[in-house]
Amino acid sequence: MNIALLGYGKMGKTIEEIAINRGHEIVLKVEQDISNYKVEENKIDVAIDFSIPGAAFNNITTCFRKSIPVVCGTTGWLDHLDEAKEICLKNDSAFLYASNFSVGVNIFFELNKKLASMMQGMEDYSVNIEEIHHTQKLDAPSGTAITLANQIKEIGTHFKGWKLDKKEDHFIPIFAKREENVPGTHTVSYVSEIDSIEIKHTANSRLGFALGAVLAAEFLHNKKGIFSMKDVLSGLLQDNV
Ligand SMILES: NC(=O)C1=CN([C@@H]2O[C@H](COP(=O)(O)OP(=O)(O)OC[C@H]3O[C@@H](n4cnc5c(N)ncnc54)[C@H](OP(=O)(O)O)[C@@H]3O)[C@@H](O)[C@H]2O)C=CC1
Ligand SMILES: O=C(O)C1=N[C@H](C(=O)O)C[C@H](O)C1
């Protein structure tokens, strides 16, 4: 496949390595405002966006308008996600967004839902989420932590949403920490006076995120519509996990 990389930082470079190893070609690297590039001249099969929160929406909708399918992992721009999906469908293109592309985190998402439903009605426990990332990260909380909180909110009907770095009634607290060189660690804890129950995912490098993004791009090639990592991993993540 001919792949365009929208964003060529830590993730863009890791994706390039994996994509080439899997026999793909990188035909375009967008590192600044996409209007400075002649996107249509590159016979792009799929674009993969790991850029910055302020650029993702413009990058991906520019591709949709040229009927280029997009895999997007950029976090921190989700207020515009529904609008991006609309523009994708209007232009008969294809889109796959995930707050986290690693297979391990997608298994962790399933565990999170299972634990949230087991903890329903356990009033002695309060839930909180902690995420730890490298100090260059632009957004907080992480997109993955927001996905975890939204999953808990959908199951535990008394939650109205989440709050960053503070405890408030009816909201799930997300504590965001920044430490040198941490690729991404997420912990969901249920705490009572008697004991604590925790589930935790630790990324040891960026390879898992990048491999997942390339698998998603291979899945999206020649498709139209809106997809998720559940579609990519459907054989692996069965409903009865
Ligand atoms: N969904 C997932 O699985 C994962 C998501 N992420 C997310 O991916 C994003 C990128 O992460 P990461 O690679 O670590 O970040 P980096 O900061 O290393 O890379 C982002 C790159 O985008 C460049 N950039 C700036 N403006 C534009 C533009 N208009 N168009 C294209 N590129 C631009 C930056 O250039 P410059 O430095 O010159 O500004 C930088 O090189 C983040 O939002 C992060 O949260 C990260 C890992 C996994
Ligand atoms: O910025 C990062 O590095 C990461 N961002 C994603 C997020 O915000 O959840 C995914 C991963 O944790 C790494």
Side-chain angles (χ1 to χ4, degrees):
M1 278 187 320
N2 285 352
I3 295 177
L5 295 177
L6 314 179
Y8 190 58
K10 293 181 283 301
M11 280 302 296
K13 292 185 174 97
T14 314
I15 289 168
E16 176 180 45
E17 197 183 311
I18 288 176
I20 290 171
N21 281 339
R22 292 177 68 87
H24 305 302
E25 195 178 336
I26 306 302
V27 292
L28 177 69
K29 293 170 190 167
V30 172
E31 298 180 66
Q32 45 166 278
D33 194 327
I34 196 166
S35 63
N36 296 330
Y37 299 80
K38 292 191 174 128
V39 173
E40 49 288 323
E41 287 180 2
N42 291 285
K43 298 205 169 119
I44 296 161
D45 292 313
V46 182
I48 304 181
D49 186 289
F50 281 80
S51 60
I52 56 170
F57 180 78
N58 188 39
N59 283 348
I60 67 182
T61 54
T62 298
C63 289
F64 293 150
R65 293 195 166 96
K66 298 174 194 302
S67 292
I68 298 169
V70 180
V71 166
C72 176
T74 306
T75 52
W77 65 280
L78 289 193
D79 288 353
H80 298 292
L81 183 64
D82 288 342
E83 202 184 332
K85 287 179 180 172
E86 251 175 59
I87 294 170
C88 169
L89 295 175
K90 221 182 258 174
N91 289 278
D92 213 14
S93 192
F95 186 35
L96 196 154
Y97 172 78
S99 62
N100 200 306
F101 280 92
S102 99
V103 173
V105 163
N106 282 277
I107 294 168
F108 186 66
F109 284 152
E110 297 303 312
L111 278 177
N112 183 49
K113 287 191 282 186
K114 180 81 184 166
L115 183 57
S117 55
M118 291 176 80
M119 296 308 288
Q120 263 205 299
M122 300 277 184
E123 281 160 19
D124 292 341
Y125 289 87
S126 61
V127 66
N128 74 78
I129 297 171
E130 180 191 78
E131 56 103 332
I132 312 175
H133 284 85
H134 53 95
T135 50
Q136 295 91 47
K137 187 162 175 61
L138 296 179
D139 54 318
S142 67
T144 307
I146 294 172
T147 302
L148 290 164
N150 287 340
Q151 289 180 326
I152 295 167
K153 182 188 146 200
E154 279 189 11
I155 289 163
T157 43
H158 59 291
F159 289 116
K160 292 182 188 157
W162 53 268
K163 293 278 178 193
L164 179 60
D165 289 334
K166 64 177 176 191
K167 291 184 178 174
E168 206 175 296
D169 278 354
H170 305 296
F171 288 88
I172 301 154
I174 303 179
F175 300 105
K177 294 186 180 167
R178 297 293 172 256
E179 295 173 10
E180 287 301 317
N181 300 325
V182 177
T185 302
H186 293 89
T187 308
V188 180
S189 305
Y190 291 82
V191 181
S192 78
E193 272 195 26
I194 290 172
D195 58 11
S196 300
I197 304 167
E198 288 185 356
I199 54 171
K200 178 176 180 179
H201 178 273
T202 306
N204 296 330
S205 74
R206 291 186 174 80
L207 285 176
F209 310 136
L211 175 61
V214 176
L215 292 175
E218 290 169 355
F219 171 88
L220 207 59
H221 186 206
N222 289 330
K223 288 200 174 60
K224 289 184 190 308
I226 310 291
F227 300 92
S228 72
M229 275 310 271
K230 269 207 138 175
D231 300 308
V232 179
L233 303 173
S234 60
L236 195 63
L237 302 179
Q238 307 196 336
D239 282 343
N240 59 357
V241 180

